Amino acid sequence: MRSVVLALGSNLGDSAETLQGAVDDLGAAAGLELLGVSSVYETDPVGGPEQPRYLNAVVLGRTSLEPSALLEVTQGIERAWHRVRDVRWGPRTLDIDIVAMGDLGVDAPDLQVPHPRAHERDFVLVPWAEVEPDAVIPGRGAVRELVGDAAGVRRTTIELRLRDRVEGAGS
Ligand code: A4P
Ligand code: MG
Protein backbone atom coordinates (compact mmCIF):
# COMPACT_ATOMS: atom_id res chain seq x y z
CA MET A 1 0.00 0.00 0.00
CA ARG A 2 1.19 3.51 -0.80
CA SER A 3 -0.16 6.83 0.34
CA VAL A 4 -1.61 8.89 -2.47
CA VAL A 5 -2.46 12.56 -2.93
CA LEU A 6 -4.94 13.55 -5.62
CA ALA A 7 -5.80 17.10 -6.72
CA LEU A 8 -9.30 17.76 -8.05
CA GLY A 9 -10.30 20.78 -10.12
CA SER A 10 -13.43 21.92 -11.93
CA ASN A 11 -14.45 25.19 -13.58
CA LEU A 12 -17.41 24.22 -15.71
CA GLY A 13 -20.92 23.11 -14.85
CA ASP A 14 -21.93 22.59 -11.22
CA SER A 15 -18.38 22.27 -9.93
CA ALA A 16 -19.31 21.54 -6.30
CA GLU A 17 -21.57 18.70 -7.40
CA THR A 18 -18.90 17.39 -9.76
CA LEU A 19 -16.21 17.40 -7.07
CA GLN A 20 -18.45 15.49 -4.66
CA GLY A 21 -19.27 13.03 -7.44
CA ALA A 22 -15.58 12.56 -8.15
CA VAL A 23 -14.88 11.91 -4.47
CA ASP A 24 -17.69 9.35 -4.41
CA ASP A 25 -16.34 7.62 -7.52
CA LEU A 26 -12.78 7.59 -6.19
CA GLY A 27 -14.03 6.19 -2.88
CA ALA A 28 -15.79 3.37 -4.73
CA ALA A 29 -12.75 2.41 -6.84
CA ALA A 30 -11.19 -0.96 -6.12
CA GLY A 31 -7.71 -0.74 -4.64
CA LEU A 32 -8.11 2.86 -3.49
CA GLU A 33 -9.15 3.92 0.00
CA LEU A 34 -9.83 7.56 0.82
CA LEU A 35 -8.64 8.86 4.19
CA GLY A 36 -9.20 12.60 4.05
CA VAL A 37 -10.45 15.50 1.97
CA SER A 38 -9.66 19.20 2.14
CA SER A 39 -12.06 22.10 2.13
CA VAL A 40 -13.12 23.33 -1.29
CA TYR A 41 -11.20 26.40 -2.49
CA GLU A 42 -12.26 28.94 -5.09
CA THR A 43 -9.16 29.73 -7.14
CA ASP A 44 -8.16 32.14 -9.89
CA PRO A 45 -7.26 30.25 -13.08
CA VAL A 46 -3.53 29.69 -13.63
CA GLY A 47 -2.37 29.61 -17.25
CA GLY A 48 -4.46 28.78 -20.30
CA PRO A 49 -7.00 31.06 -21.99
CA GLU A 50 -9.33 33.38 -20.11
CA GLN A 51 -11.64 31.04 -18.22
CA PRO A 52 -13.88 30.91 -15.16
CA ARG A 53 -12.64 30.46 -11.62
CA TYR A 54 -12.00 26.96 -10.44
CA LEU A 55 -13.07 24.99 -7.45
CA ASN A 56 -10.13 22.91 -6.22
CA ALA A 57 -9.69 20.33 -3.47
CA VAL A 58 -7.18 17.69 -2.43
CA VAL A 59 -7.96 14.11 -1.45
CA LEU A 60 -5.68 11.85 0.61
CA GLY A 61 -5.79 8.09 0.48
CA ARG A 62 -3.84 4.92 0.15
CA THR A 63 -3.72 2.51 -2.71
CA SER A 64 -2.54 -0.93 -3.71
CA LEU A 65 -2.67 0.12 -7.37
CA GLU A 66 0.40 0.67 -9.48
CA PRO A 67 0.70 4.23 -10.85
CA SER A 68 -0.50 3.32 -14.35
CA ALA A 69 -3.56 1.54 -12.94
CA LEU A 70 -4.39 4.49 -10.72
CA LEU A 71 -4.13 6.80 -13.75
CA GLU A 72 -6.63 4.58 -15.56
CA VAL A 73 -9.02 4.92 -12.62
CA THR A 74 -8.71 8.72 -12.44
CA GLN A 75 -9.01 9.15 -16.22
CA GLY A 76 -12.07 6.89 -16.29
CA ILE A 77 -13.74 9.09 -13.66
CA GLU A 78 -12.78 12.25 -15.60
CA ARG A 79 -14.38 10.81 -18.72
CA ALA A 80 -17.54 9.80 -16.88
CA TRP A 81 -18.02 13.34 -15.60
CA HIS A 82 -17.29 14.94 -18.95
CA ARG A 83 -20.07 12.92 -20.53
CA VAL A 84 -22.89 13.88 -18.18
CA ARG A 85 -22.53 17.66 -18.59
CA ASP A 86 -24.54 19.43 -21.27
CA VAL A 87 -22.44 22.57 -21.42
CA ARG A 88 -20.36 23.53 -24.44
CA TRP A 89 -16.90 22.11 -24.85
CA GLY A 90 -14.32 24.29 -23.15
CA PRO A 91 -12.71 24.51 -19.75
CA ARG A 92 -12.79 21.30 -17.80
CA THR A 93 -15.68 19.86 -15.87
CA LEU A 94 -13.26 17.67 -13.97
CA ASP A 95 -9.50 17.29 -13.76
CA ILE A 96 -7.90 14.75 -11.43
CA ASP A 97 -4.14 14.94 -11.04
CA ILE A 98 -2.01 12.38 -9.24
CA VAL A 99 0.10 14.72 -7.14
CA ALA A 100 2.16 12.17 -5.23
CA MET A 101 2.31 8.46 -4.41
CA GLY A 102 4.37 7.98 -1.27
CA ASP A 103 8.00 8.65 -2.10
CA LEU A 104 7.67 7.07 -5.52
CA GLY A 105 9.05 8.80 -8.58
CA VAL A 106 7.54 8.07 -12.01
CA ASP A 107 8.79 9.56 -15.26
CA ALA A 108 6.84 7.93 -18.08
CA PRO A 109 5.53 9.61 -21.26
CA ASP A 110 1.96 9.66 -19.93
CA LEU A 111 2.63 9.99 -16.19
CA GLN A 112 5.00 12.00 -14.02
CA VAL A 113 4.85 11.62 -10.24
CA PRO A 114 5.19 13.79 -8.23
CA HIS A 115 3.13 15.99 -10.54
CA PRO A 116 5.71 18.24 -12.23
CA ARG A 117 3.81 21.47 -11.53
CA ALA A 118 2.27 20.76 -8.11
CA HIS A 119 5.10 22.39 -6.16
CA GLU A 120 4.44 25.79 -7.75
CA ARG A 121 0.65 25.79 -7.60
CA ASP A 122 -1.04 27.30 -4.59
CA PHE A 123 -4.37 25.76 -5.67
CA VAL A 124 -2.77 22.37 -4.89
CA LEU A 125 -0.42 23.33 -2.05
CA VAL A 126 -2.92 25.23 0.12
CA PRO A 127 -5.58 22.49 0.31
CA TRP A 128 -2.88 19.82 0.67
CA ALA A 129 -1.27 21.65 3.62
CA GLU A 130 -4.71 21.96 5.21
CA VAL A 131 -5.26 18.19 5.33
CA GLU A 132 -1.62 17.15 5.78
CA PRO A 133 0.31 19.96 7.49
CA ASP A 134 3.63 18.08 7.51
CA ALA A 135 3.44 16.89 3.89
CA VAL A 136 6.58 16.86 1.78
CA ILE A 137 6.89 16.69 -2.01
CA PRO A 138 9.76 14.27 -2.70
CA GLY A 139 12.63 16.26 -4.18
CA ARG A 140 10.92 19.62 -3.63
CA GLY A 141 10.44 20.16 0.09
CA ALA A 142 7.75 20.85 2.67
CA VAL A 143 4.37 21.69 1.18
CA ARG A 144 3.80 24.38 3.81
CA GLU A 145 6.98 26.15 2.78
CA LEU A 146 6.32 25.83 -0.95
CA VAL A 147 3.05 27.78 -0.67
CA GLY A 148 3.34 31.15 -2.43
CA ASP A 149 1.32 34.26 -1.61
CA ALA A 150 -1.90 32.23 -1.97
CA ALA A 151 -3.58 35.41 -3.24
CA GLY A 152 -5.73 33.59 -5.77
CA VAL A 153 -6.84 30.81 -3.41
CA ARG A 154 -9.88 31.34 -1.18
CA ARG A 155 -11.36 28.76 1.14
CA THR A 156 -15.11 28.28 0.71
CA THR A 157 -17.71 26.86 3.06
CA ILE A 158 -18.39 24.00 0.62
CA GLU A 159 -17.55 20.69 2.26
CA LEU A 160 -16.93 17.40 0.49
CA ARG A 161 -17.89 14.21 2.28
CA LEU A 162 -16.17 10.85 2.32
CA ARG A 163 -18.98 8.34 2.17
CA ASP A 164 -18.88 4.92 3.75
CA ARG A 165 -17.73 2.39 1.24
CA VAL A 166 -20.59 0.27 -0.04
CA GLU A 167 -20.11 -3.41 0.83
CA GLY A 168 -18.95 -5.36 -2.21
CA ALA A 169 -17.87 -2.27 -4.16
CA GLY A 170 -14.23 -3.33 -4.13
CA SER A 171 -11.38 -3.58 -1.69
N1 A4P B 1 -0.19 13.20 -16.80
C1 A4P B 1 1.14 13.17 -16.54
N2 A4P B 1 1.39 13.14 -15.24
C2 A4P B 1 0.16 13.14 -14.63
C3 A4P B 1 -0.23 13.10 -13.26
N3 A4P B 1 0.66 13.07 -12.25
N4 A4P B 1 -1.57 13.08 -12.98
C4 A4P B 1 -0.75 13.25 -18.16
C5 A4P B 1 -2.49 13.12 -13.99
N5 A4P B 1 -2.16 13.15 -15.33
C6 A4P B 1 -0.85 13.18 -15.62
O1 A4P B 1 -3.79 15.80 -18.64
C7 A4P B 1 -2.93 15.63 -19.75
C8 A4P B 1 -2.09 14.39 -19.54
O2 A4P B 1 -1.27 14.55 -18.42
C9 A4P B 1 -2.87 13.13 -19.25
O3 A4P B 1 -3.26 12.48 -20.41
C10 A4P B 1 -1.86 12.27 -18.45
O4 A4P B 1 -1.34 11.22 -19.24
P1 A4P B 1 -5.25 16.32 -18.86
O5 A4P B 1 -5.92 16.34 -17.54
O6 A4P B 1 -5.88 15.57 -19.96
O7 A4P B 1 -5.02 17.78 -19.43
P2 A4P B 1 -4.67 19.06 -18.62
O8 A4P B 1 -4.97 18.88 -17.17
O9 A4P B 1 -5.28 20.21 -19.35
O10 A4P B 1 -3.13 19.17 -18.85
P3 A4P B 1 -2.07 19.47 -17.80
O11 A4P B 1 -0.87 19.96 -18.53
O12 A4P B 1 -1.90 18.32 -16.88
O13 A4P B 1 -2.68 20.68 -17.01
P4 A4P B 1 -2.55 20.83 -15.49
O14 A4P B 1 -1.13 21.07 -15.20
O15 A4P B 1 -3.25 19.75 -14.79
O16 A4P B 1 -3.31 22.19 -15.28
N6 A4P B 1 -5.97 26.84 -12.39
C11 A4P B 1 -6.64 26.69 -11.23
N7 A4P B 1 -6.91 27.73 -10.44
N8 A4P B 1 -7.07 25.43 -10.83
C12 A4P B 1 -6.81 24.31 -11.59
O17 A4P B 1 -7.22 23.21 -11.20
N9 A4P B 1 -5.78 23.41 -13.60
C13 A4P B 1 -5.07 23.53 -14.72
C14 A4P B 1 -4.68 22.31 -15.47
C15 A4P B 1 -4.64 24.85 -15.19
N10 A4P B 1 -5.00 25.94 -14.31
C16 A4P B 1 -5.68 25.77 -13.18
C17 A4P B 1 -6.08 24.47 -12.82
MG1 MG C 1 -4.40 17.37 -15.52
Side-chain angles (χ1 to χ4, degrees):
M1 294 289 264
R2 283 192 186 96
S3 64
V4 60
V5 181
L6 302 174
L8 276 49
S10 170
N11 73 343
L12 198 62
D14 186 335
S15 292
E17 184 193 335
T18 301
L19 293 183
Q20 181 63 61
V23 168
D24 292 346
D25 289 352
L26 288 166
L32 177 62
E33 182 187 2
L34 302 189
L35 301 173
V37 60
S38 72
S39 303
V40 173
Y41 291 77
E42 183 189 72
T43 67
D44 295 338
V46 174
E50 192 173 327
Q51 53 179 324
R53 288 175 184 160
Y54 279 79
L55 292 186
N56 285 108
V58 162
V59 174
L60 302 182
R62 53 183 186 168
T63 186
S64 56
L65 300 174
E66 290 305 318
S68 59
L70 181 61
L71 184 65
E72 278 179 33
V73 167
T74 57
Q75 291 188 337
I77 295 171
E78 286 180 343
R79 277 195 298 274
W81 282 94
H82 286 136
R83 274 203 305 271
V84 298
R85 308 314 309 183
D86 55 16
V87 284
R88 266 179 299 170
W89 201 248
R92 67 218 54 224
T93 50
L94 178 64
D95 188 31
I96 305 176
D97 285 338
I98 302 172
V99 174
M101 290 184 79
D103 54 13
L104 192 71
V106 179
D107 190 8
D110 64 340
L111 182 63
Q112 296 89 48
V113 179
H115 190 285
R117 289 172 291 283
H119 65 282
E120 55 192 23
R121 294 182 152 180
D122 285 350
F123 63 80
V124 173
L125 299 171
V126 171
W128 187 2
E130 177 200 339
V131 281
E132 193 181 2
D134 295 328
V136 169
I137 304 183
R140 300 288 185 183
V143 168
R144 236 181 349 205
E145 284 160 25
L146 290 166
V147 174
D149 64 10
V153 177
R154 296 167 292 276
R155 190 172 172 169
T156 73
T157 56
I158 302 166
E159 287 182 11
L160 301 176
R161 284 178 297 144
L162 298 185
R163 299 188 205 277
D164 293 334
R165 182 184 283 276
V166 177
E167 207 57 45
S171 58

